[in-house]
Amino acid sequence: MSTPEFLTGTRLVRSTYAPEDVTYLLREIQAQFVSVEEKERLIQSGERHYGQLLSPEQPPRPEYQALFERALHEGAPQLARHVAGLARVVHEEVRIRRRVNSAIVLVSLARGGTPIGVLVTRALRSLYGEEVHHYGVSIVRDHGIDGVALDFIRARHTDGSVIFLDGWTGKGVIAAELRRSVKTYNATRGSALQGELFVVSDPGGAAARCATRLDYLVPNAMLGATVAGLVSRTVLPGPAGDLHGSAFLAQLAAHDVTRHFVDTVSLHFPGQAPPEGNRLSGQDVYKAAQTFLHDVQHHAGPRPVNHVKPGVGEATRVLLRRAPEVLILRDPHAPEVQHLLSLAQERQVPVQVWPGVMPYSACALIRSVEPDP
């Protein structure tokens, strides 16, 4: 099918994924970077939204890259089982929804969800022989999912075949943003997309479907562009009618492990589908997560809820690209937090241990930046 007229002339961002693994529905931009400190000041002062700002990404230190390789080697079998379990949930869900034998359409939330989307795509093909189309699409807190990208997808596929994927949940902000923005999109387009989020790890109890509630290290959380096709974090569009944007970070090509990651995990897919993944409501998990957020306000002092980032994946993002105040761990000896300790040492971030209190393995707090006088 030809490209819809509204995307004619749009240059989609390049990536180092194989073309059959994913299509990023992101407009390629020339990145204009600001430092982490300046970004934090602009965000916290309200001058700019985080979805308008990018900070430069540096190559990982050799020691940190070695931690990633170790986490990938040791964690690939577990992640492969969970991906296969999530693929089964997706397969069953789409079988219920669709009226005809149409292809499955995976929409991963770029960019953190895209490596998982690639893995689920491969699992659906190898375990079920499914025809799968996979798109990486931007979603930005307070602004929702990219409606232009959804227009593109709906011009090619049926609504009932679309499944939204991410890697993990933290507080559940993105899951709520997805539900809200898809509901708004449906109301304006007369469409029937289901804004439920499917994830591998759901320690926040916020996703509709997951493979596990365990807060563990999904290895791609340790890196940024170098495990996501050399694609930057996504940013909001300029003129109305544009796709959300992203930059191709060619300067990091020597450190790219995108295909290495997905190829390594794919080798561990089971020969047959495992039992169906976790379909529980997650209400008890969600309540425990909300109680913990209140505990943080009590023990660490009042702060905006957006400055509290629970879960291994979210804590990793804070230490990589925000201004962290403190790292809180349930067990500093747990294997899933060793990379966090390395990052905290590198950035001189204090570490606190809250044993027996946390439903998460880790939580990072963002430091409040003093406004300019």
Side-chain angles (χ1 to χ4, degrees):
M1 184 177 295
S2 61
T3 300
E5 184 178 350
F6 52 79
L7 284 187
T8 300
T10 298
R11 178 173 177 170
L12 298 181
V13 72
R14 294 163 285 165
S15 87
T16 58
Y17 281 112
E20 64 271 16
D21 278 338
V22 65
T23 298
Y24 273 120
L25 292 180
L26 298 165
R27 178 175 52 89
E28 184 162 327
I29 63 170
Q30 294 298 315
Q32 296 182 344
F33 297 116
V34 298
S35 70
V36 170
E37 287 295 326
E38 177 64 5
K39 179 176 74 173
E40 208 65 62
R41 185 191 69 79
L42 290 168
I43 292 171
Q44 294 188 28
S45 68
E47 294 179 52
R48 302 286 293 277
H49 189 274
Y50 87 93
Q52 299 172 303
L53 301 167
L54 288 176
S55 295
E57 296 190 35
Q58 303 299 328
R61 293 176 295 110
E63 299 84 357
Y64 188 78
Q65 189 70 35
L67 281 175
F68 168 77
E69 290 295 339
R70 178 178 176 180
L72 177 58
H73 174 74
E74 295 178 353
Q78 179 184 38
L79 178 56
R81 289 193 302 273
H82 286 153
V83 166
L86 185 59
R88 179 172 185 141
V89 172
V90 169
H91 172 73
E92 294 295 333
E93 178 70 19
V94 174
R95 189 170 67 176
I96 293 169
R97 290 186 192 179
R98 60 190 176 189
R99 299 292 183 266
V100 295
N101 191 28
S102 56
I104 292 176
V105 181
L106 299 182
V107 178
S108 63
L109 305 184
R111 69 187 169 179
T114 300
I116 299 303
V118 170
L119 289 170
V120 174
T121 295
R122 291 185 175 190
L124 285 166
R125 289 169 178 164
S126 63
L127 294 175
Y128 297 100
E130 288 277 10
E131 179 186 357
V132 185
H133 300 275
H134 174 210
Y135 301 98
V137 171
S138 171
I139 186 170
V140 177
R141 190 187 72 237
D142 306 324
H143 291 265
I145 196 160
D146 187 344
V148 177
L150 294 186
D151 289 343
F152 177 94
I153 291 168
R154 292 189 60 247
R156 295 174 169 230
H157 308 288
T158 61
D159 289 1
S161 296
V162 174
I163 297 287
F164 294 97
L165 286 177
D166 207 352
W168 57 84
T169 65
K171 299 188 298 288
V173 171
I174 291 299
E177 186 72 42
L178 178 67
R179 288 192 300 270
R180 181 198 63 77
S181 59
V182 169
K183 182 178 180 180
T184 300
Y185 177 89
N186 286 337
T188 59
R189 303 300 203 279
S191 54
L193 295 171
Q194 295 191 29
E196 297 180 330
L197 185 62
F198 291 61
V199 299
V200 167
S201 171
D202 184 32
R209 302 284 187 268
C210 69
T212 180
R213 306 287 184 198
L214 180 68
D215 184 22
Y216 77 105
L217 176 59
V218 180
N220 63 290
M222 295 179 66
L223 301 174
T226 56
V227 77
L230 296 184
V231 170
S232 76
R233 189 178 57 76
T234 67
V235 295
L236 291 166
D242 271 358
L243 288 166
H244 291 197
S246 186
F248 180 70
L249 304 182
Q251 67 272 23
L252 296 175
H255 307 275
D256 186 28
V257 292
T258 296
R259 296 202 192 187
H260 170 57
F261 169 75
V262 293
D263 288 346
T264 299
V265 177
S266 297
L267 288 174
H268 294 276
F269 285 155
Q272 58 184 10
E276 186 171 320
N278 195 331
R279 294 184 66 129
L280 299 175
S281 68
Q283 286 300 311
D284 290 341
V285 178
Y286 180 78
K287 289 177 181 178
Q290 295 305 304
T291 298
F292 171 71
L293 294 176
H294 284 96
D295 288 343
V296 169
Q297 300 285 353
H298 176 72
H299 293 292
R303 63 195 62 238
V305 70
N306 288 336
H307 288 192
V308 183
K309 302 293 185 180
V312 173
E314 294 305 297
T316 302
R317 288 177 170 180
V318 171
L319 289 169
L320 284 175
R321 65 184 193 221
R322 297 297 297 268
E325 175 185 336
V326 64
L327 172 65
I328 305 171
L329 302 177
R330 184 170 58 197
D331 177 5
H333 304 292
E336 66 267 20
V337 302
Q338 296 312 300
H339 72 292
L340 291 172
L341 288 168
S342 175
L343 288 170
Q345 181 179 26
E346 178 186 358
R347 299 195 62 185
Q348 299 182 319
V349 177
V351 178
Q352 298 178 6
V353 179
W354 292 12
V357 176
M358 298 172 60
Y360 300 92
S361 296
C363 177
L365 307 183
I366 294 174
R367 172 169 49 86
S368 293
V369 176
E370 294 296 328
D372 291 337

